[in-house]
Amino acid sequence: MHPRGRPGLRPISALGLLAAAVLTLSGTATAAPGAVQATTLGAQAAQSGRYFGTAVATYKLGDGTYAGILDREFTMVTPENEMKWDTTEPSRGSFNFAPADQIVSHATAHGARVRGHTLVWHSQLPGWVGSIIDATTLRSVLNNHITTQMAHYKGKIYAWDVVNEAFNDGSSGTHRASVFQNVLGDGFIESAFRTARTADPAARLCYNDYNIEDWNAAKTQAVYAMVRDFTSRGVPIDCVGFQAHFGTGGPPVSFQTTLAAFAALGVDVQITELDIAQASTTAYANTVKACLNVARCTGVTVWGIRDSDSWRSGENPLLFDSSGNKKAAYNAVLTTMGGTATAATKAGGVAAGADRSTSAAALPSAFRWSSSGPLIAPKPDATHAIAGIKDPSVVRYNGKYHVFASVASASGYNLVYLSFTDWSQAGSATHHYLDRSAIGTGYRAAPQVFSYAPQRLWYLVYQTGNASYSTNSDLSDPNGWSAPRGFYASMPDVIAQNIGGGYWVDMWVICDRATCYLFSSDDNGHLYRSRTSVAQFPNGFTDTVIALQDSDRYALFEASNVYQVQGSDRYLLLVEAIGSDGRRYFRSWTSAALGGSWSPLAASESSPFARSTNVAFPAGSWTRDVSHGEMIRAGYDQTLTIPSCGLQYLYQGLDPAASGDYNSLPWRLGLLTQTGAAC
Ligand code: XIL
């Protein structure tokens, strides 16, 4: 253990007492995770880390009833037709993303994510593609289509349906005839996935099809064999979408078996285009149940909102009637997920209206969030008696989230690494203790991970009492990290002169084109900043200055994050503070330059960036602290770029009733998702 350990930071006397008083007053608000039932599909699905989505058509976004239901109920959006080839590349090399862009910006403005549908499909394909007859031309056209479309939406898509409906119905188990199959042969699917991975390594890549829900169907078996082949040979595939366009009886009895069998191959599964003729409550409930029972089934999307919106409108197959009223099937789905059915409600009500904003600013000035329950808990083993998991850093790379965190116990701090494809998987991921790598034992805490593009090398920055780093050429290899090296020979003078009774903690690196900056905190009201050139990094950090200060040490405490906001020339700074209730929360600032001065954005207790007071806890109020964590980034390099809307933040929270030794507190990790924001 480090001689000081991780300091007991909470001001014990006054604030501790205050916190105790607040707890007594609001004791009933701390229900156990899972105890609170939500009243919308998206919020209820989120309780188990899943999403609930719908297909959306651009031309309906101006319909208030439609948009009202969309924004209130759904957390994932699939453009129904707008990302299909006949719309996005109607003639060779001339791309039109305008209709889909409207859906993407509407979705992200309302905190929903987007499924990209679809890149390679025999249908809704413009005639010019269908008439290509030589393989070289078609290969180049196909690669250009995938690469251009994925590049346009890079960082904005949850998952891409890379290939749609490539197999025949019936008993043959063969690929369907199409220009791709006929001209390029069987290998076109594999090659599409490989091109897609290169185009956007952070996006999930899915194969999507219908009539593959019945485990006994030849088509299901053929797709299964393909996915098994891909995963065994390392062909990049992350997920399989089951369209689930069902008749009146709903899913085949073996549907859950099918989902589980695909999931066991190591891919996520999703229900991607659900509609059921006449929308029987049992059929809908059975479909949703099949997903809930499979851990790697990460979400359900229905193919439209109201019956009148459906491509099968004659069969009334959706969850809302043509006037936007909830149908019985809606309540069946909600209660199957554990939610509370309410009286039939018309769409576009006050709650939905209040969620909409017309601001066009890159970042809003006020923030609201919805939190998951605790998703990641410590996994002590024989040699690691761990009480808390803390200070996470996260990147999405090669189809996975990679999380680095501190593990804390009475005997000290070290680091842990885990990776998983989806948040619903986070709890079951293996924890790799990094004290078994060259990082070694002893005090190591508060990691930050990024890829340093100029060196094609991963960096892990952390504190050892000094500011340290290790490198690794393979992010997914926990044993590949180098031994700790220091950024500084010793504590810079300006820190030594200002630290007072605080501690030097939470080092954070971010680079612009020319310069890398190293930020750190002192638990004493100061944020420090040093710099070096991109060419010299990781050496040469110098010119340490106070970047921001506050006379109240608790108002500018620790755990700073600095990010570049995508598509803007602004940077976002978050710093953790301790509130008047003794609980942790985040304040935010922006700046036009990393080396510049910071202007408050949401920087007060009453208008915080993230605090228990602006976070909804549909899965139960499991924490009142919103503490040290990190944003889900749009990329993974040293520019630390985040999206400007649809923000997500992985944070540490704590059972409000927990007390005792600071190092032994039972910290857990949960995920905030921004709600009600405009881009
Ligand atoms: C449908 C749309 O809903 C219709 O508006 C369009 O006319 C035809 O396509 N499988 C798919 C979806 O993957 O893209 C299809 O969507 C439905 C079947």
Side-chain angles (χ1 to χ4, degrees):
M1 174 186 159
H2 184 272
R4 287 191 305 244
R6 184 73 157 73
L9 302 168
R10 179 161 299 141
I12 316 259
S13 52
L15 291 177
L17 285 174
L18 231 175
V22 169
L23 266 180
T24 317
L25 289 175
S26 60
T28 51
T30 57
V36 174
Q37 299 175 313
T39 54
T40 63
L41 300 169
Q44 187 58 37
Q47 294 208 24
S48 63
R50 293 180 172 83
Y51 64 81
F52 207 100
T54 182
V56 166
T58 305
Y59 72 93
K60 292 177 188 159
L61 289 173
D63 171 339
T65 306
Y66 181 87
I69 305 177
L70 171 62
D71 302 340
R72 187 188 70 211
E73 298 284 345
F74 297 101
T75 50
M76 182 72 70
V77 159
T78 307
E80 186 172 356
N81 290 297
E82 293 76 355
M83 287 186 176
K84 293 173 181 173
W85 199 317
D86 59 354
T87 299
T88 58
E89 196 186 2
S91 59
R92 185 170 176 178
S94 119
F95 286 87
N96 172 25
F97 296 119
D101 285 354
Q102 284 188 51
I103 295 179
V104 173
S105 50
H106 184 101
T108 45
H110 294 87
R113 291 176 291 167
V114 180
R115 186 182 189 91
H117 176 78
T118 175
L119 295 165
V120 185
W121 190 28
H122 67 275
S123 185
Q124 294 181 264
L125 188 68
W128 69 268
V129 182
S131 57
I132 296 174
I133 48 172
D134 78 287
T136 312
T137 306
L138 186 57
R139 208 169 285 124
S140 127
V141 159
L142 188 58
N143 287 344
N144 185 52
H145 182 75
I146 294 172
T147 306
T148 307
Q149 190 155 331
M150 288 185 75
H152 182 80
Y153 291 108
K154 202 167 177 174
K156 297 183 174 171
I157 302 293
Y158 167 79
W160 275 105
D161 289 331
V162 178
V163 177
N164 196 33
E165 301 182 353
F167 281 76
N168 276 314
D169 292 313
S171 59
S172 72
T174 51
H175 288 180
R176 169 198 298 278
S178 70
V179 67
F180 308 113
Q181 179 68 28
N182 302 349
V183 175
L184 301 175
D186 281 345
F188 86 89
I189 303 180
E190 170 170 346
S191 133
F193 275 87
R194 290 193 187 279
T195 305
R197 180 66 97 218
T198 307
D200 184 357
R204 290 170 186 71
L205 307 180
C206 306
Y207 177 77
N208 192 55
D209 213 330
Y210 67 95
N211 277 354
I212 56 167
E213 294 83 8
D214 181 353
W215 182 237
N216 304 307
K219 186 172 175 182
T220 308
Q221 290 301 316
V223 173
Y224 178 81
M226 176 190 76
V227 176
R228 188 179 50 195
D229 171 52
F230 280 14
T231 53
S232 73
R233 289 190 296 114
V235 179
I237 183 167
D238 307 308
C239 36
V240 176
F242 296 79
Q243 293 186 8
H245 294 295
F246 293 135
T248 50
V253 284
S254 61
F255 188 28
Q256 187 180 313
T257 303
T258 306
L259 293 176
F262 276 85
L265 293 175
V267 292
D268 288 340
V269 293
Q270 292 109 17
I271 295 173
T272 52
E273 304 182 11
L274 178 62
D275 49 19
I276 305 180
Q278 306 314 331
S280 113
T281 52
T282 324
Y284 261 105
N286 287 344
T287 309
V288 169
K289 237 180 267 169
C291 180
L292 296 177
N293 287 341
V294 174
R296 292 195 77 147
C297 182
T298 60
V300 176
T301 291
V302 288
W303 204 242
I305 297 178
R306 300 161 300 194
D307 284 335
S308 51
D309 300 317
S310 172
W311 70 314
R312 303 167 67 189
S313 57
E315 298 174 283
N316 302 316
L318 295 175
L319 301 178
F320 294 86
D321 70 19
S322 299
S323 310
N325 300 307
K326 294 171 180 171
K327 293 165 59 179
Y330 172 96
N331 286 333
V333 167
L334 188 63
T335 51
T336 300
M337 293 193 295
T340 311
T342 50
T345 316
K346 256 199 142 182
V350 179
D355 268 1
R356 288 197 290 274
S357 160
T358 52
S359 162
L363 285 172
S365 55
F367 292 85
R368 281 193 292 143
W369 308 89
S370 177
S371 177
S372 71
L375 297 175
I376 301 175
K379 291 192 177 173
D381 69 12
T383 51
H384 298 86
I386 283 144
I389 183 160
K390 311 185 55 174
D391 316 327
S393 181
V394 54
V395 285
R396 187 155 180 91
Y397 180 73
N398 259 353
K400 286 189 161 176
Y401 291 108
H402 301 259
V403 171
F404 295 79
S406 310
V407 281
S409 70
S411 62
Y413 281 71
N414 207 282
L415 304 175
V416 71
Y417 162 71
L418 54 150
S419 70
F420 44 86
T421 55
D422 220 291
W423 294 106
S424 61
Q425 297 299 298
S428 53
T430 302
H431 288 203
H432 301 274
Y433 293 106
L434 299 184
D435 61 0
R436 293 179 177 139
S437 73
I439 287 175
T441 55
Y443 179 80
R444 282 104 178 82
Q448 182 212 5
V449 67
F450 59 88
S451 160
Y452 193 67
Q455 297 167 1
R456 295 173 158 267
L457 200 56
W458 292 94
Y459 274 76
L460 196 65
V461 173
Y462 50 94
Q463 43 174 298
T464 52
N466 202 322
S468 298
Y469 68 92
S470 295
T471 61
N472 193 342
S473 56
D474 178 0
L475 178 66
S476 65
D477 177 8
N479 298 316
W481 293 102
S482 62
R485 265 165 283 182
F487 284 114
Y488 304 99
S490 60
M491 184 188 283
D493 288 347
V494 64
I495 302 181
Q497 286 152 12
N498 288 279
I499 193 166
Y503 298 95
W504 188 26
V505 295
D506 300 337
M507 291 73 190
W508 182 269
V509 169
I510 177 171
C511 309
D512 60 24
R513 286 226 174 100
T515 308
C516 291
Y517 297 87
L518 173 43
F519 289 86
S520 59
S521 297
D522 68 359
D523 289 352
N524 195 37
H526 305 98
L527 177 74
Y528 302 102
R529 184 187 72 224
S530 310
R531 64 182 170 88
T532 190
S533 67
V534 160
Q536 271 187 291
F537 178 85
N539 303 311
F541 272 109
T542 182
D543 295 334
T544 307
V545 295
I546 295 175
L548 191 63
Q549 59 186 323
D550 199 304
S551 54
D552 173 5
R553 62 184 288 210
Y554 301 125
L556 199 75
F557 205 61
E558 56 183 355
S560 70
N561 306 134
V562 188
Y563 296 104
Q564 154 104 65
V565 181
Q566 192 169 44
S568 83
D569 52 6
R570 301 229 292 178
Y571 295 89
L572 174 70
L573 164 68
L574 309 178
V575 184
E576 183 178 335
I578 304 179
S580 53
D581 58 355
R583 298 293 176 182
R584 303 302 182 106
Y585 74 103
F586 282 98
R587 306 172 66 201
S588 62
W589 294 258
T590 62
S591 176
L594 286 171
S597 61
W598 296 95
S599 316
L601 179 66
S604 67
E605 260 194 73
S606 55
S607 178
F609 180 74
R611 186 169 185 242
S612 63
T613 48
N614 68 345
V615 176
F617 289 92
S621 309
W622 63 279
T623 178
R624 295 174 71 86
D625 290 282
V626 179
S627 181
H628 197 141
E630 124 117 287
M631 203 76 86
I632 308 304
R633 303 176 213 157
Y636 44 82
D637 69 14
Q638 73 285 349
T639 65
L640 306 188
T641 305
I642 57 165
S644 59
C645 52
L647 301 179
Q648 290 195 296
Y649 194 85
L650 182 65
Y651 72 104
Q652 61 175 29
L654 180 67
D655 177 354
S659 62
D661 169 30
Y662 182 84
N663 294 350
S664 303
L665 291 173
W667 293 96
R668 303 284 182 268
L669 306 183
L671 184 69
L672 300 180
T673 298
Q674 191 184 17
T675 55
C679 290

